[in-house]
Amino acid sequence: MYRSRIRRFRRQGLNPVKIIFIYFITFILVSWHQSGQLAEWFEDLALSTEGQLSEATLNISRNLHEKIEPYGPLQLNYLEDQFLQLFVGGEIGAVKTKAPEQSQEPKLIPSSTRIKELQIEPNPKPKLEITRSIPLDIPLTQKPKSEPFHSPELFNPTKVLLLGDSMMLEGLGPQLQRKLNQKYPHLTVNRDGRYGTGLTRLDYFDWLGYFETMLIKYTPDLVILTVGANDSQDILTPEDPKHKRIIFSTDEWNSIYTARVADLLTRARNKGTTVFWVGLPVMGRQPYGHRIEGVNRAAEAACAAAPNCRFWDSRLSVADTKGAYITFQTTSQGRRERLRAKDFIHLTETGGRIMAEIFLQETADWVNYQPRSLNKSTLTTVSNPVGIWSKYYFYPPALKRKVFGAIAAPTASLNQTRTSWPVIFLLHGAWDSYQTWAEQLSPAALAALAERFQVIIIMPDAEPFGWYLDGPESAIETYLTNELIPRLPEINPAADPNRVYAAGLSMGGHGALTLAMKHPNIFKGVATLSAITDLTAHSGVHSLDPELKIDQILGQAGPAGVNWRAYGARGLFEENPTAWGHRPLWLGVGTNDQFTFEENQAFHELLNTLHIGHIYQEKTGGHNWSYWLTELPGILEFLATVAQETPIK
């Protein structure tokens, strides 16, 4: 048998040297074939991990793709045939292969035309090109044009946050940020995100918590969000003791993923934030591309059900006329431009620019980025069916954006039997907004308190970290004192601007005290719970101090917070104690409050030293809503009683 094999090899022109050489060449070709799979393995690893590992593996993947891309599968088959025919004389290998020709990719055209053509031929034939132009074989249909999400007169953002995973951190994100900054210089546009993360692996990275942190950090009116490139995988449920794995694309997976998107959008709605969800474009690698379609559908379904979200389908923005993936486009000047990165997923700078341009064009009826004329500010009250509780909003020049607030009032304040009612400003704490009061107490409870104490309660918004001060990017103090107070009769005609009091908790307590000290002609009395009375005490000693973002308003604290001293209540009272006069003052704090108990005690002692009359009360409780909800009726009753005893001017 051995000799017959040798004779057969010799008849085919083979000898031991040629055989060894063929084995060597075959080894090289097989290894090169496998390098593509190795590159994809690194890519999958990059898309399922985070931080340093993600970026490193993604770079390895891209380098491998870059090396092998000129020699794609068709080219490798061709070279393999050529080698075998060269050394075997053409008798091994039944099929002879021609060298693949480069295809000329079509130019991009407007999406409406692309959709129309796609309906005619939803499944175009694949192209034989070394850039792996893979058609999208999931039919797309033209959806009817939806109604505007917000009328441009109503939705006019001033703070935009571009947020997401690597799809926003590179490609689309930088180009969209550049275009918004160039065209709308009045906008504040920030960009942030995390590589290698998504909504499927919350056990690895809490995207929901991270999203809410970003809302607090940037306080955007609008979030343009793209996330999901890493979500085409199973969901793990760490809360399940059996660590159940939810298989991708099953009904259970779709239900959980849609619920997570809905949770994210609810967190945005609670902050008064609108979300434009940017779907993922057609991908150049299968089955990854098909799985991404499933992610897009789940996100789109959840977005359609949320009142504060619009889903933008990006699949055709960087595809050809048939909806197929393309790596390059040819410009009108005949120049080839690369649209997609060599990993067949991400966008290049050119691809990002094209997608950004189409995004702005196709979402033009959702939002008006133009600056609003500040001379045309309007005030609108939206009634709530639960009691006498409503929301208001207008456009104060000091803030240059739409500002919301809420009001609770007695029923009788709506008729003409009495034209003057005292007003209590209820100031929220850090991380919160005007909506927090209704969330913690309910609108009905707030209306009941207003009815019980016969006062009008105004709940303005001071941003999560506005501190009721004027800073480089906000002017909360000016807005409240110069613009909101004079417009009280527009919110409620019975509101008396000459009998205004302030109550607040934590950061709101700081606001009540400092506003009253600096504007004694406006605020006739103050009551606080767990107030931050000394800003210098929060210059970095407590673990929460850096998260209060006081430096964003006042700059660096300096040694022992010396630069903040003059802006806190303690500093103001020490500098000019006579400015307080004989106005009523109530201070309350919980004995278990590890955040503000000591400074409230010290402030109480300072007031005694300065001979300033006040009520100081310590009760069991912490720096939390359990304590605040228990004590809030008491401080409102205190101010209401004082207000009723004050003569009406």
Side-chain angles (χ1 to χ4, degrees), residues 154-216:
L154 292 178
F155 187 54
N156 191 230
T158 60
K159 290 185 178 181
V160 179
L161 174 60
L162 312 180
L163 187 64
D165 52 24
S166 56
M167 299 299 288
M168 184 60 77
L169 292 173
E170 53 188 76
L172 172 63
Q175 295 300 315
L176 185 56
Q177 184 175 22
R178 184 177 296 114
K179 288 187 176 297
L180 287 173
N181 284 331
Q182 290 174 347
K183 193 172 182 179
Y184 309 106
H186 71 287
L187 284 179
T188 299
V189 184
N190 294 295
R191 182 165 54 91
D192 214 324
R194 292 294 293 268
Y195 279 94
T197 60
L199 295 176
T200 54
R201 293 296 304 276
L202 297 184
D203 59 308
Y204 173 74
F205 180 78
D206 182 10
W207 233 98
L208 298 176
Y210 172 72
F211 178 75
E212 191 159 14
T213 300
M214 293 297 99
L215 295 181
I216 294 172

Side-chain angles (χ1 to χ4, degrees), residues 170-172 174-175 178 338-339 347-354:
E170 53 188 76
L172 172 63
Q175 295 300 315
R178 184 177 296 114
R338 176 180 280 274
L339 305 181
L347 298 168
T348 63
E349 183 176 342
T350 299
R353 173 179 55 78
I354 290 172

Side-chain angles (χ1 to χ4, degrees), residues 198-201 227-233 235 246 248 251-263 277 280 294-300 302:
L199 295 176
T200 54
R201 293 296 304 276
V227 66
N230 309 297
D231 284 341
S232 60
Q233 55 182 300
I235 292 175
I246 310 301
F248 177 80
D251 290 342
E252 187 175 7
W253 187 97
N254 288 328
S255 176
I256 293 175
Y257 192 82
T258 303
R260 290 181 177 182
V261 175
D263 187 355
W277 193 295
L280 296 167
V295 175
N296 274 340
R297 290 194 186 100
E300 185 174 13

Side-chain angles (χ1 to χ4, degrees), residues 333-345:
Q333 294 80 23
R335 186 177 70 254
R336 283 165 58 85
E337 295 180 323
R338 176 180 280 274
L339 305 181
R340 306 298 287 269
K342 296 177 180 179
D343 59 5
F344 309 106
I345 295 176

Side-chain angles (χ1 to χ4, degrees), residues 438-517:
E439 292 168 358
Q440 295 293 336
L441 282 81
S442 83
L446 289 163
L449 288 171
E451 186 75 45
R452 173 182 172 186
F453 300 125
Q454 294 292 284
V455 294
I456 294 173
I457 302 173
I458 302 291
M459 292 154 277
D461 194 276
E463 303 177 351
F465 304 100
W467 286 96
Y468 303 91
L469 298 168
D470 288 349
E473 296 184 2
S474 63
I476 304 298
E477 180 181 346
T478 297
Y479 151 61
L480 291 176
T481 57
N482 293 1
E483 296 168 5
L484 182 56
I485 295 290
R487 303 187 70 168
L488 286 178
E490 297 179 52
I491 301 176
N492 189 308
D496 186 353
N498 295 314
R499 288 192 296 165
V500 178
Y501 300 81
L505 55 85
S506 193
M507 182 184 82
H510 158 85
L513 289 167
T514 57
L515 288 172
M517 275 295 287

